[in-house]
Amino acid sequence: MRAVRLHEHGGPEVLRYDEVPIPEPGPGEVLVRVHAVGVNPPDWYLRDGMSNLPEHVRPKFSLPVIPGTDLSGVVEAVAADVDDFRVGDEVFGLLRFPGFDGSTYAQYVAAPASDLAHKPAGIDHVHAAGAPMAGLTAWQFLIELGHDHPSPFQAAQHRPVPLRAGMTVLVNGAAGGVGHFALQLAKWKGARVIAVASGAHETFLKELGADEFIDYTKSRPEELVHDIDLVLDTVGGPDSKRFLRTLKRGGSQFPVFFGEFDEEETAKLGVTVTGTQVRSNSTQLAELGRLLDAGTVRVAIDSTFALADARAAHERAARGHVQGKIVLTVA
């Protein structure tokens, strides 16, 4: 089979399209013929050698390695101890995350059955492949954590805020993969949503249900809004703390990529800052799949590239301002 592998760390040019053996499914696994692969930030973190993560939280792996965690495809073979799937089933999933051995940039993948759900019948493989990591990240931050694993970025367990009608949620980076799911899930729960993104995404985000749009290239959100119940910041980083001043007392901020915060400041403001790390969860993915099938939530596709053109997909991601998801198609 063909697969994209890393033999060294670096820029998109290090992604190589190789011939490798088809994997054999082990106990608890199924062999999936991959039709589409979601492209996610951990893919380029792996490609870069995890240079953006503190050394003590970097997962262990050896080169060469096949990147990728998200897939949608068809079951080709099933281990004897797997009861939930049969040959021919269409499936999608987030594989082995937060590890980095999902190996989905390939024509075939040996996937843990426990990480898969049946693909929603109402969407194609491209859209299904765009859903797992981004959708589950939004779900575990906003709806239900679904696991008791500690985050490498904080000692306390993350607790989602119950969303309801009458609440106001601000989503920073609302046009991206996690952001556009978060917007839709908050609307599903009845919240009023303020979407922050660049001006090119205004129409798109209003079509997804945003009640208010702020173009961060023209205005500073922290100077325009206040009394927010919840901020989900999909960008994070050192500038994330500027959103604290938008919160009401008792409000919460959830940075997806953890930022830099002062505990004294948050205590003085009477707000909570908390985050988590997404994990594979087939039950939650099946719930998200039902929303996708019903059209309650949709996956926006920024662009698609053939598996052999993974380099171009990573170059597209590096240019930024992605609207929804980048997906690789697999022949």
Side-chain angles (χ1 to χ4, degrees), residues 33-322:
R33 172 68 168 91
V34 181
H35 283 245
V37 178
V39 176
N40 295 293
D43 302 351
W44 52 88
Y45 300 162
L46 177 65
R47 191 199 72 221
D48 290 340
M50 308 289 178
S51 59
N52 65 324
L53 294 177
E55 194 166 343
H56 71 279
V57 301
R58 293 179 192 172
K60 305 298 180 188
F61 59 90
S62 57
L63 298 175
V65 62
I66 300 172
T69 57
D70 280 0
L71 65 72
S72 182
V74 178
V75 175
E76 290 270 324
V78 180
D81 60 345
V82 172
D83 297 322
D84 295 333
F85 299 102
R86 290 182 167 81
V87 172
D89 285 352
E90 294 187 323
V91 294
F92 71 140
L94 167 64
L95 304 190
R96 300 186 175 93
F97 201 79
F100 281 81
D101 51 357
S103 303
T104 61
Y105 281 32
Q107 291 179 317
Y108 292 89
V109 174
S114 57
D115 290 349
L116 298 173
H118 288 93
K119 182 184 78 65
I123 63 174
D124 60 21
H125 286 292
V126 167
H127 288 79
M133 176 171 281
L136 285 176
T137 299
W139 192 279
Q140 290 174 17
F141 268 86
L142 294 179
I143 307 299
E144 177 195 24
L145 183 58
H147 62 78
D148 58 5
H149 298 280
S151 166
F153 305 110
Q154 67 179 40
Q157 187 81 295
H158 174 70
R159 296 185 183 277
V161 174
L163 298 176
R164 61 184 183 279
M167 292 182 67
T168 300
V169 176
L170 183 149
V171 180
N172 184 41
V178 175
H180 88 291
F181 278 111
L183 188 164
Q184 294 176 85
L185 291 175
K187 290 297 296 182
W188 171 54
K189 289 295 186 179
R192 177 176 177 269
V193 178
I194 300 170
V196 178
S198 63
H201 301 302
E202 180 173 4
T203 299
F204 164 65
L205 292 171
K206 287 186 173 177
E207 287 174 350
L208 289 184
D211 299 284
E212 184 178 342
F213 174 81
I214 297 174
D215 180 351
Y216 73 86
T217 68
K218 296 180 178 179
S219 307
R220 296 184 66 83
E222 66 272 22
E223 296 174 356
L224 295 180
V225 297
H226 55 85
D227 292 330
I228 304 296
D229 294 285
L230 173 64
V231 170
L232 181 81
D233 182 9
T234 71
V235 180
D239 292 334
S240 190
K241 61 186 176 185
R242 74 190 191 278
F243 288 104
L244 293 175
R245 70 186 75 171
T246 70
L247 293 168
K248 63 173 60 172
R249 291 193 72 83
S252 296
Q253 181 166 334
F254 297 165
V256 173
F257 194 89
F258 216 75
E260 297 173 7
F261 298 90
D262 184 295
E263 290 186 11
E264 284 189 18
E265 182 185 13
T266 57
K268 184 177 179 180
L269 292 170
V271 299
T272 301
V273 176
T274 178
T276 187
Q277 184 178 47
V278 67
R279 288 184 173 261
S280 304
N281 189 306
S282 62
T283 301
Q284 291 176 337
L285 192 59
E287 291 184 56
L288 180 62
R290 286 188 280 273
L291 295 180
L292 292 168
D293 220 5
T296 306
V297 172
R298 69 181 179 93
V299 185
I301 301 299
D302 175 272
S303 49
T304 61
F305 298 84
L307 179 64
D309 295 328
R311 172 179 176 169
H314 279 227
E315 291 170 343
R316 167 67 193 98
R319 291 196 297 272
H321 300 284
V322 172

